Amino acid sequence: MTVFADLVGQDDAVETLSRAAAAAARIVAGDTGAQGAMTHAWIFTGPPGSGRSVAARAFAAALQCERDGVGCGECHGCHTALGGTHADIRYVVPEGLSIGVNEMRALVLRAGTAPSGGRWQAVVIEDADRLTEAAGNALLKAVEEPPPRTVFLLCTPSTHPDDISVTIRSRCRVVPLRQPSAEAVAEVLVRRDGIAPDVASWAAAASQGHVGRAKRLARDTDARSRREAVLTVPRRLTGVGACFDAASALIEAAEAEAAAAFAETDAAERAALEQALGAGGTGRGATGAMRGAAGQLKDLEKRQKSRFTRSQRDALDRALVDLAGFYRDVLITSLRAPVEVVHTDTAAQSSAAAGKWSPESTLRRLEAILACREAIEQNVKPKIAVEAMMLNLWRG
Ligand SMILES: [Zn+2]
């Protein structure tokens, strides 16, 4: 199994990356003619779940491969890289809503040093669309004049200026990833995760090509029941009051999911910080330390709040994608489009709705969901955006 094995349904990208990794290995071996075939900055784009970070991580691993950069998946370089412990690979995985300038400056500084393993320094930045402007500028300097053996791997939804600055984009080679087919997703769930084929097929279709989400649906009963609750929304919208109730339920479910995801981590982080700061100590020294500690605790609370908000938005977005899948099913049923429905378990409801609604009104409902996702992305209060959406879903 090569390092690219988990990059589902992305043959073009795998070929591009394999070729570049092989050229990179020739450069390490002293072949100056290979310089032109390697690029120091890359952007991986594609819809959520298509494997942007999987691709970036696999490429970073192939750059460390000891067997001519093939990314064999077996040598020490590949192994430590895939395990996340390779000394020359740094990951930026933002927990909150943005990646700040200080984090980026520190990273750029460390990326400027020579790789300890003698191959390449790789910097993987997930969600590079969350770089603040200042952080983007710090990164731009490094991308403009990269150290000779440093590679920057950025993951963003697209190369739209909202996602990545035009100047950074102009310095990068872009690897577009596709939404993998349901068959390809099901295949990897069976092979890699040992999931039963029928469950894998259902989860792959229900997740709409999102590999990580498909795995969660196949494995996690909580994720499955949250999805089922979301799919009851269309039939519950019987009046204005019901719309507001459905909106509250959706928001509360997202809040609960986010709170559950981080409750333990939050408490553990706080306890660790309090201990480090000597909480509970007595005497003049301890009092002085506690005064400085208040600021650090405030910082921690701010970070945790940002992480919670992000996680809540992600949970809400997953619900909206599931909901959009239902209205898409209605639309393809009324148009008799020759494609598979997303939610096989609500096929009876979507086909009943297709008999009742005109394609135009179904399309308006789909658009209401897209508008809601965009509004939330642009910081409209989720409750307000979701309430407006529910009313539009009801009216059609
Ligand atoms: Zn290898």
Side-chain angles (χ1 to χ4, degrees):
M1 280 294 166
T2 75
V3 293
F4 297 110
D6 288 343
L7 204 50
V8 184
Q10 311 290 353
D11 296 345
D12 294 349
V14 170
E15 192 181 331
T16 304
L17 297 172
S18 302
R19 214 176 280 166
R26 290 203 301 278
I27 295 172
V28 171
D31 176 0
T32 46
Q35 293 287 0
M38 179 55 187
T39 312
H40 285 270
W42 298 72
I43 298 180
F44 298 87
T45 66
S50 57
R52 298 180 303 231
S53 66
V54 176
R57 284 164 188 256
F59 186 44
L63 291 175
Q64 312 299 351
C65 180
E66 289 148 23
R67 297 184 189 158
D68 301 329
V70 293
C72 66
E74 286 157 9
C75 71
H76 183 69
C78 285
H79 248 270
T80 47
L82 289 179
T85 57
H86 198 289
D88 290 328
I89 306 179
R90 313 204 182 290
Y91 298 103
V92 183
V93 185
E95 291 182 325
L97 294 173
S98 62
I99 304 174
V101 64
N102 291 335
E103 189 179 351
M104 191 48 62
R105 280 204 190 115
L107 193 84
V108 164
L109 208 63
R110 287 179 68 183
T113 57
S116 62
R119 291 173 197 280
W120 296 85
Q121 282 257 32
V123 179
V124 179
I125 305 177
E126 291 190 11
D127 301 312
D129 52 308
R130 295 190 205 157
L131 289 168
T132 61
E133 201 185 333
N137 288 335
L139 175 65
L140 177 63
K141 285 199 194 99
V143 169
E144 276 177 338
E145 286 169 44
R149 288 286 183 80
T150 302
V151 181
F152 292 91
L153 308 174
L154 317 182
C155 308
T156 68
S158 76
T159 54
H160 189 277
D162 283 351
D163 286 337
I164 194 83
S165 84
V166 176
T167 38
I168 291 182
R169 153 78 189 84
S170 70
R171 303 278 170 169
C172 294
R173 188 161 166 195
V174 178
V175 179
L177 301 172
R178 282 191 286 257
Q179 180 169 314
S181 69
E183 292 77 37
V185 174
E187 191 269 325
V188 79
L189 293 189
V190 172
R191 173 177 58 73
R192 185 190 65 189
D193 305 315
I195 290 164
D198 54 333
V199 178
S201 302
W202 166 80
S207 72
Q208 306 179 53
H210 191 307
V211 183
R213 171 101 176 118
K215 183 177 169 187
R216 211 165 310 125
L217 284 177
R219 282 269 172 84
D220 179 351
T221 46
D222 287 346
R224 270 209 293 274
S225 36
R226 279 193 293 265
R227 170 183 167 278
E228 275 160 23
V230 167
L231 290 177
T232 64
V233 165
R235 68 194 112 115
R236 281 193 288 143
L237 301 178
T238 50
V240 176
C243 288
F244 285 112
D245 288 347
S248 301
L250 205 64
I251 303 272
E252 277 159 26
E255 266 171 13
E257 190 182 341
F262 290 111
E264 273 177 41
T265 325
D266 282 0
E269 282 173 353
R270 193 184 170 93
L273 182 60
E274 280 176 347
Q275 198 181 11
L277 295 170
T282 51
R284 245 184 294 172
T287 316
M290 276 315 282
R291 234 173 271 139
Q296 291 193 43
L297 277 173
K298 207 169 266 172
D299 279 351
L300 177 68
E301 278 165 13
K302 211 170 113 191
R303 275 208 310 280
Q304 290 181 341
K305 183 157 189 291
S306 172
R307 182 169 67 192
F308 173 79
T309 308
R310 179 79 242 167
S311 163
Q312 187 196 346
R313 275 195 200 175
D314 289 348
L316 189 56
D317 200 57
R318 278 194 291 278
L320 294 176
V321 170
D322 283 344
L323 204 52
F326 174 83
Y327 292 98
R328 173 197 169 278
D329 288 347
V330 177
L331 191 64
I332 61 164
T333 308
S334 37
L335 298 177
R336 298 177 207 285
V339 284
E340 300 288 322
V341 293
V342 168
H343 301 300
T344 45
D345 38 359
T346 52
Q349 281 103 320
S350 55
S351 122
K356 232 169 30 189
W357 301 336
S358 70
E360 291 76 16
S361 85
T362 306
L363 201 57
R364 282 197 294 276
R365 289 177 166 99
L366 252 179
E367 277 165 0
I369 298 175
L370 296 183
C372 178
R373 294 180 71 194
E374 271 170 27
I376 292 171
E377 197 51 48
Q378 279 156 23
N379 285 325
V380 171
K381 220 167 161 253
K383 193 166 162 40
I384 293 175
V386 173
E387 282 173 355
M389 176 193 79
M390 292 295 185
L391 289 169
N392 285 326
L393 291 181
W394 169 53
R395 289 192 201 114

